[in-house]
Amino acid sequence: MEWLVDHKIPIGQWAKAFVDWLTINAAWFFDFIALVLEHVIDAVLWVLQTPHPLVIVAATVILAWFVRRKISFAIFVLAAMLLIINQGYWEETTETLALVLSATLVCMIVGVPIGVAAAHRPWLYEALRPILDLMQTIPTFVYLIPALILFGLGMVPGLIATVIFAVPSPIRLTQLGISSTPKALIEAGEAFGATKRQLLWKVELPYALPNIMAGLTQTIMLSLSMVVIAALVGADGLGVPTLRALNQVNIARGFEVGVAIVLVAIVLDRFFRKEPASGRE
């Protein structure tokens, strides 16, 4: 076996050379991306942190009522947000929300069009499949290293790592929804003279909407699962006190932050989850 080890394929050196080339030749591009993403995150943070926390709580409860039309959900949102404020994690929660919402926005903007294109071009999806598998299975710390080199410390590399981890979900589910559109619906649209664009907007996307919404909620959950990883590269939010609790073996703080993360996950999931039909005609 020694001869095989002695002739090691320099995969790591190739990756390092590629990142070095990007650092030298495409620094302007990554600086531009970082600037845009910083503005997006700052805008979300400004919306969440400028008003008094109780104003945000009241607005969220009202929005919960209009979205679900359930008083029980509105009361749960009120109780969850007041508990987070009571535990002293409001600022960290808003920072986590800014990261999660920004990452989800980027994932959906990138993932849905790619999923549509992959559904219409089977060869493209076959080419994307191993890449998507790699993005979701490779250890997160591996691509945190080039993210740090290209974007530096802060919220941006955390957002980039989150997007890399979460974007396969909207791509896969959008492709599944579009490709599973019944041929009868497509043929009916074509019989009425619909163009390809009209078929996409009037037939395929409405039919695939439940899958797209499932991709949205899955993206949110995957983004929340990255809050601790993002804290390792300087991203603010609930991941910071989680890491401190881990380093100090502080059970009380760890449980408090864990409850806050769970409450945020439940609220976001209920906001964006598509309710099943009641079954009554």
Side-chain angles (χ1 to χ4, degrees), residues 58-86:
T60 307
V61 171
I62 294 172
L63 182 61
W65 163 253
F66 277 106
V67 169
R68 289 298 175 205
R69 297 289 181 177
K70 292 182 179 179
I71 190 65
S72 58
F73 178 57
I75 292 174
F76 173 78
V77 171
L78 175 64
M81 299 185 76
L82 289 179
L83 180 59
I84 290 173
I85 294 174
N86 172 262

Side-chain angles (χ1 to χ4, degrees), residues 61 69 86 95 103 115 125 179 187 190 198-199 231 246 248 252 279:
V61 171
R69 297 289 181 177
N86 172 262
E95 292 166 346
Y125 185 65
S179 61
E187 292 172 354
E190 292 174 343
Q198 290 172 330
L199 285 174
L246 179 62
Q248 299 168 2

Side-chain angles (χ1 to χ4, degrees), residues 120 186 188-204:
H120 290 156
I186 302 293
E190 292 174 343
F192 282 97
T195 63
K196 289 185 178 181
R197 178 175 297 182
Q198 290 172 330
L199 285 174
L200 173 63
W201 288 99
K202 300 294 185 180
V203 178
E204 293 176 329

